Amino acid sequence: MKRDAGRKIDAALHRLAQVQPEPGLEGRIRARLDQESARIRKSPSARLRKFFFEQRIAFAAASAAVGCVVIVIGSVQHSRQKALEGAMPASGIHLAAPESGVGAASGTHISPQPIAAPEHGRARSERSATSGRATVSKDAHKPSGVAVPESPEPQKP
């Protein structure tokens, strides 16, 4: 029984493999595809889609151009404003803009008034290194609640 079903299937596949299409099939298929694409191109929805695609391209190009113009104008205005405020120092010191509240990490802040040297000739804080470690003197003023480890005694050579 299985052999008969297998023979029938083989015979059907053999007949199917021997079938040739009618002459001119490719031409009919090509004509049908051309006719269908022409019908789609003439439809209002296709024309509307094409119109909006072209509008999107034009809008994107116009937006990019306006953005470039805004950047250039802003840069020129910023440069003019800085030139009016005063010439930049030749030493490479970068001053932060006073109105921004935020300066560059490399910005140097110049004091509006001179800073007087301390009376006793010592800076507010001193750091002395012993064998690569910072030491904190015992009589140094430390805020309450700040734990500072004891410094090792300096070794005498």
Side-chain angles (χ1 to χ4, degrees):
M1 185 160 195
K2 288 185 179 181
R3 290 182 186 168
D4 288 338
R7 285 184 194 151
K8 287 180 183 178
I9 291 173
D10 286 341
L13 290 174
H14 184 62
R15 278 182 294 197
L16 192 59
Q18 299 300 323
V19 174
Q20 293 291 324
E22 298 177 18
L25 179 66
E26 291 91 6
R28 291 194 303 271
I29 291 173
R30 186 174 299 119
R32 176 71 188 261
L33 290 173
D34 290 341
Q35 183 183 30
E36 189 66 23
S37 65
R39 183 185 69 80
I40 289 174
R41 272 186 267 128
K42 290 181 182 178
S43 71
S45 65
R47 282 188 271 157
L48 193 61
R49 235 185 344 261
K50 183 180 177 187
F51 173 76
F52 281 119
F53 178 75
E54 292 168 353
Q55 295 300 317
R56 282 187 293 201
I57 297 294
F59 181 73
S63 298
V66 167
C68 290
V69 167
V70 166
I71 289 171
V72 168
I73 289 174
S75 176
V76 168
Q77 291 296 329
H78 180 74
S79 297
R80 285 186 182 164
Q81 180 184 7
K82 288 295 182 184
L84 291 176
E85 289 175 1
M88 294 298 263
S91 64
I93 296 175
H94 302 287
L95 300 175
E99 68 275 354
S100 70
V102 178
S106 65
T108 303
H109 302 284
I110 298 175
S111 175
Q113 57 192 1
I115 299 173
E119 293 175 13
H120 49 76
R122 239 183 93 198
R124 286 178 43 192
S125 63
E126 286 184 3
R127 177 180 177 196
S128 59
T130 339
S131 69
R133 290 190 53 174
T135 59
V136 179
S137 64
K138 292 182 182 182
D139 59 342
H141 172 70
K142 301 174 206 86
S144 62
V146 175
V148 179
E150 289 188 28
S151 299
E153 294 298 323
Q155 296 176 359
K156 295 182 181 178

